[in-house]
C-alpha cells in the first residue's frame, strides 16, 4: 500500500474517531474509549494507535471544538457600544459552551486546568480586546485588571455549564443569568448597570 494511501486511511480514522468522540461525549461525558471506537467504526487498537490515552483523545476533541467555536466567534460583530458588543459575544459564546457542555465537563475531568485555559487562549484574547476597548471608552471598570475580568467571564460560563449538568438551572436560563452577572461585574463602581 502506498504511503499516501496509508496517510489518507490514517487521517480518515482520526477524523472518524474525533467525530465519534465528540458525538459520544456530547451524550455522556463518561463515554468509554470502547464506545467511541465502536461508534467510529474502528478497533480499540486503532484508536489507541492515534490517541494513546483518554486524556490525549479528549485534548484532540477539545482542540477541534475550540477551532469550530472560533469560526463562530469570529463572525460576532464587536463594533459599536462595548456593552452591546459584549452581550452579542456572551450570547454566541454561551451557544458554543452549551453545545459543547458535556465535552467541556469531560475535558475538565481529565485535562489540567492550565490546559483547558490554554485551549481557550484565542476566545479569551477576543474578550480581552473588547474589555480593553470598553475600558478606554468608559463602559467597563478600570479598577481591576483586564485579565481578572476575562477570567470572570471564563469561570461564569463554565460555572453555568456545571449548574445545568447538576440540574440547578436550564440552558435557557443560563444566557440571561450570564449576561446579567457579567454586565454587573464589568460596570464601573458607582455606575448603574446598563442593560
Amino acid at each position: 500500500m502506498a504511503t499516501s494511501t496509508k496517510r489518507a486511511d490514517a487521517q480518515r480514522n482520526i477524523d472518524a474517531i474525533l467525530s465519534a468522540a465528540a458525538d459520544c461525549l456530547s451524550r455522556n461525558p463518561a463515554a468509554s474509549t470502547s464506545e467511541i471506537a465502536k461508534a467510529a467504526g474502528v478497533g480499540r487498537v486503532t484508536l489507541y494507535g492515534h490517541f494513546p490515552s483518554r486524556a490525549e483523545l479528549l485534548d484532540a476533541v477539545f482542540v477541534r471544538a475550540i477551532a469550530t467555536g472560533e469560526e463562530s466567534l469570529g463572525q460576532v460583530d464587536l463594533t459599536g457600544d462595548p456593552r452591546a458588543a459584549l452581550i452579542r459575544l456572551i450570547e454566541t459564546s454561551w451557544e458554543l459552551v452549551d453545545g459543547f457542555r458535556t465535552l467541556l465537563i469531560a475535558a475538565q475531568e481529565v485535562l489540567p486546568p492550565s490546559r483547558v485555559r490554554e485551549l481557550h487562549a484565542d476566545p479569551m484574547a477576543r474578550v480581552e480586546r473588547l474589555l480593553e476597548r470598553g475600558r478606554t471608552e468608559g463602559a467597563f471598570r478600570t479598577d481591576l485588571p483586564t485579565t481578572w475580568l476575562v477570567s470572570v467571564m471564563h469561570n461564569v460560563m463554565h460555572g453555568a455549564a456545571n449548574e445545568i449538568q447538576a440540574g440547578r438551572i436550564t440552558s435557557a436560563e443560563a444566557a440571561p443569568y450570564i449576561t446579567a452577572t457579567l454586565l454587573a461585574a464589568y460596570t464601573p463602581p458607582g455606575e448603574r448597570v446598563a442593560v
Side-chain angles (χ1 to χ4, degrees):
M1 185 181 284
T3 304
S4 62
T5 304
K6 284 184 183 179
R7 280 194 203 121
D9 287 346
Q11 190 56 53
R12 271 193 299 279
N13 285 341
I14 290 168
D15 290 341
I17 292 165
L18 292 176
S19 294
D23 186 50
C24 290
L25 293 165
S26 71
R27 289 191 308 273
N28 175 14
S32 69
T33 52
S34 295
E35 291 172 67
I36 293 167
K38 184 177 179 181
V42 301
R44 288 181 65 215
V45 171
T46 300
L47 185 146
Y48 282 116
H50 295 295
F51 304 101
S53 70
R54 179 176 170 80
E56 289 178 68
L57 174 59
L58 277 164
D59 190 282
V61 173
F62 205 57
V63 164
R64 184 185 251 195
I66 293 285
T68 299
E70 269 300 289
E71 290 176 25
S72 295
L73 291 172
Q75 302 301 312
V76 178
D77 177 12
L78 297 180
T79 61
D81 176 61
R83 286 178 214 83
L86 178 67
I87 291 168
R88 290 190 295 272
L89 184 59
I90 290 168
E91 288 169 353
T92 301
S93 297
W94 175 247
E95 286 174 17
L96 294 167
V97 171
D98 191 35
F100 293 117
R101 180 171 19 101
T102 54
L103 174 58
L104 171 64
I105 289 165
Q108 288 173 321
E109 289 176 4
V110 299
L111 300 178
S114 59
R115 178 60 177 156
V116 173
R117 281 190 66 79
E118 178 187 337
L119 291 173
H120 282 89
D122 289 340
M124 290 172 74
R126 180 177 285 102
V127 175
E128 186 169 345
R129 288 189 301 272
L130 175 58
L131 289 175
E132 285 293 346
R133 181 171 72 81
R135 287 161 63 109
T136 300
E137 295 177 19
F140 300 137
R141 66 189 314 151
T142 58
D143 60 323
L144 297 172
T146 304
T147 53
W148 174 255
L149 298 177
V150 171
S151 181
V152 168
M153 182 169 177
H154 175 83
N155 288 311
V156 168
M157 290 269 185
H158 289 208
N162 292 334
E163 288 297 294
I164 290 169
Q165 197 67 21
R168 289 187 284 266
I169 64 172
T170 67
S171 180
E173 292 170 327
Y177 289 1
I178 293 165
T179 300
T181 301
L182 293 177
L183 284 175
Y186 294 165
T187 296
E191 288 189 20
R192 186 173 177 276
V193 177
V195 181

